[in-house]
Amino acid sequence: MKKNIFLVMFTILVAIAQSQILTIKDKGSSQPLEMVTLYSETPRASALTNAHGQVDFTDFKGSVKIEIRMIGYENQTKSYSEIEKAGFNVLMAPSSLTLEQFTVVASRWNQSTRDIPAKITSISAKEVALQNPQTAADLLTASGEVFIQKSQAGGGSPMIRGFATNRLLITVDGVRMNTAIFRSGNLQNVISLDPFAIERTEVLFGPGSVIYGSDAIGGVIGFNTLTPRLSIDSKANVSGSAVTRYSSANDENTGHLDVNVGWKKWAMVSSFSYNNYDDLRMGTNGPEEYLRQNYVQRIDSVDRVVTNDDPLVQKPTGYTQTNMMQKLRFKPNNKWDFNYGFHYSTTTSYSRYDRLLRTKNGLPRSAEWYYGPQEWMMNNLTMTNTLSSGIYDQLTMRLTHQFFEESRFDRDFNDTELRSRVEKVNVVSSNFDFTKTIAAKHSLMYGLEAVYNDVNSTGTDEDISTGTVVNGPARYPMSTWSSYAAYLTWLFRPVDKVTVQAGARYNRFSMQGDFDTTFYHFPYTTMEINDGAFTGSVGIIVKPSESWTLSTNFSTGFRAPNVDDAGKVFDSEPGYVIVPNPDLTAEYAYNAEIDIAKVFGEFMRLDVAVFYTFLDNAMVRRNFSLNGQDSIMYEGEMSQVQAIQNAANATVYGLQAGLEIKLPEGFGFSSHFNFQKGDEVLDDGTTSPLRHATPWYGISSLTYTAHKLKLDFYGMYCGEVAFEDLAQEEQGKAYMYAVDANGNPYSPGWYTLNFKAMYQITEFLSVSGGLENLSDQRYRPYSSGLVAAGRNFILSLKANF
C-alpha cells in the first residue's frame, strides 16, 4: 500500500516538474496579461499567455534568447535561465514606442517585422473590440491603411496600392481564400469572416506571390482566427465571452458567444455570431444625387415606382448573417501540435444596391437585382512538428477543403423573367511549409503547395407570372483550375545590423472547361490553359540602432488566368456583353519600395514607405468579336462584344506614412496617410486613371488610456476625384456619383468625426460604444454604389468568463 502511494506521489511530482508555468503581469497594476507572445528560435517554440497571464513554458527550456512581446508594452529578450532565476515571473512595463512586432503573414512563420523588407500592418483583437466593426471589411477600414469599396451593404471590397479584387489575396489561418471565380469586379467574400472570431489581422503591402502564389499582387490580407488554449495544469480550464451590440444607422442587432475548454493535451474553442441589419440610413449633409427618392415594388403583378417615405434610407439594403466556428487541438508532446478548424458562414439574400440605381428611358432598369445566400465552409487540418534536426527545425502541414456558393438573381423592370445564376466551388488544397536555421546567420523557409478548384455553374430562367422554370445559360463553363508550386526564402544576417532576404517560387497552373453551346454558339466547345510562372524577391534591411530601420525591397507577383477571366460566358452591363477568351496568359507585377521607420526618444514613431509597381501583360476588358461579329443582340439590346484580354500595362506609385506620438498623462496621437496614383494604357495608346487607385485617404486619432477606460476621438478623410481623373469605365456610371458644375460625374472629398469609448466595469464585464460620423455627413466612398452610414450610435456589452 505504501509503495502504491509513493508511486502515485512520484508520478504527480514528475508531471509537475515536466510542466513549467510562466506568469506574466503588468508591472504597475500586477494584473495578468493575456495574449503575450513568446518566441524562441533555438529551440524553436512559440506560445501565448492565457487570460490568467500564464503559459506552459516547458518547450523553451535551454533557450538563450526568448523574445516576449505584446502591443502596448516594452519588448523583452531573456534567456530561460534568467526567467528561471526570477521564479518564472515576468513583469512588463507599458511601452515606449518600438519598431518591432511579430508577424505571420509574410512567410507563414513567426517573424519579427524588422526582418522583413516589406510594409506590414496588424490589427489586434483589442483594437477591434474598441472599434466595434460590423463586418471584416469594416475591420480593415478601421486600420486607416486599407480602402474599402461597397456596392451593397452585404459587401466590402478591399483596395490596396491601386489593386483590388482578384489582384489581392485573402488568407484564413494561412489558407488562401481566393477561388477560381474571383473576378475583377468588386468582391464581397471578405464579409464571410467573423470579426469576433478573429484573433489578429495582418496586411502585407506589395507582392506576396513567393509565399502565396497567384493573385498576391497588391498585397496579402491574413486573418488569424481564435486558437484553442490548453490548460497549464491537470484541471480543465473554461473561458469565453458573450457580446451583444446595437447600432442605430441600420438598426443592427448582433449577438456573439465563444467558449474555450482546455485540458493538458486537448482543447477546443467554439464561436457563434448572429447579425441582423436593416436598411442603411445615410447622412443629412451632402450631395442630393445620393438620395434614394424612390424604389420599385411589385403591386398587383405590376412593377411600380414607389416614392421613398424617407430618402435617407437606402432601400433595400438589409440582410442577416450567421457565423460558426469550431476548433479542436491536440498537443501530445512538445514535438507535435494538431489543430482542426471548421468554419461556416451564411447570409440571407441581399440586394445589389448599385444595380438598382440604374435607369433606362427614365425608369428603373431593374426591378430586382440581388445576390442569393453567400455560403462559405472550410475544414482545415494543421499539423506542426518541431524536429530541430535534419532537413527542418519545424514543419507545418495544412490539408484543407473549402466550399463556396454564390448566386445572382435579376429581373428587368416590368419583365416577368427572373434570371438565376448559381455557382458552387469546391476547393481542396495542401501546404507543406518548412523552416530551418543554419548556424546563426542563415535561415531557410521553403515549401510545397497544391490547390485544386472544381467549378459548377448553372442557370435557370423563371416566369414569375406562371411559375414556369426553364434552363438558362450558366455564367461559367463546368471547369477545373489547379495550381502546383514550390518556393524557397533565404534569410541571411551577415552582421548584426543587416539582414538580407531573398526568395523564389515556381508555379504551374492549369485550367480545363467545357462550354455549353445550347444557348450561344461559340467557335469553341472546350478551353484548356497549361502554363507556368516564376516569381522572386530580394530585400535588404539595415538597423543602425534599435530605434532606426531602413529597408528596400524588389519583388514580383503574378496572377494566373482563372475561370472568371477565361470562361465567363456572359456578364452584361448596359450596352456590353463579355464572352469567353481561352487564350489568356499570366500577368506580372514588378514592384520596388523603400521603407524608413524611426523612433524618436520614447515619445514619437514615424514610418514612411514609397513604392512603384508596374503591371505587365495585364488582363483587362477590351472590345472583341464573336463569330466575326463585334456586336450581338443580348437580352433585347444590341451590345458591344468584349472579352478579358492580355492587352494592357499599368503603373502605380505612391506613399504610405504613419505617425504615433506618446503624450503625457495617458494621451496619445496617431495618424496614417495614403497616397497613390495609377494609370492604365488603353487600346489607342493613351492612358486612363487606374480604376482601383483610390484618392488620398487617411485617419488621425487622439486617444486616452487609463486603468479601466479607453477613449478614441478620430477623423477619417478622403480626397476628391474630379471627372477627368475618373477611370474611363467609371465615367460611364453617373448613377453612382455626384454631379459637378459642368454636369459631369465626380467623387467628392469627405471627412467624418468619430468617438469611441470602452470601460471595464468589473473584471468580467465591459461596455463599449460611441458615435460615428458625428456631423452626419452624406458621402459615398470612391467607386462605391452604397452611400456610407450617417450618424451612427453604437452600444456594446461584453461579458468574459
Side-chain angles (χ1 to χ4, degrees), residues 181-194:
I181 63 170
F182 265 41
R183 57 191 181 275
S184 59
N186 299 307
L187 295 167
Q188 60 267 12
N189 298 76
V190 73
I191 70 166
S192 292
L193 278 300
D194 179 9

Side-chain angles (χ1 to χ4, degrees), residues 10 136 159-160 173 219 256 309 327 362 404 422 652 672 716 777:
F10 179 76
M159 297 182 178
I160 297 175
D173 293 335
H256 167 76
D309 292 336
K327 284 189 172 183
F404 300 80
V422 180
V652 188
H672 295 282
M716 303 183 73
Q777 297 297 304

Side-chain angles (χ1 to χ4, degrees), residues 3 18 37 45 70 138 267 291 341 377 416 496 564 589 635 673:
K3 185 184 292 185
Q18 288 179 339
T37 301
M70 183 179 183
D138 298 331
L291 294 172
M377 180 182 70
T416 60
D496 288 342
D564 185 86
E635 296 182 357
F673 179 79

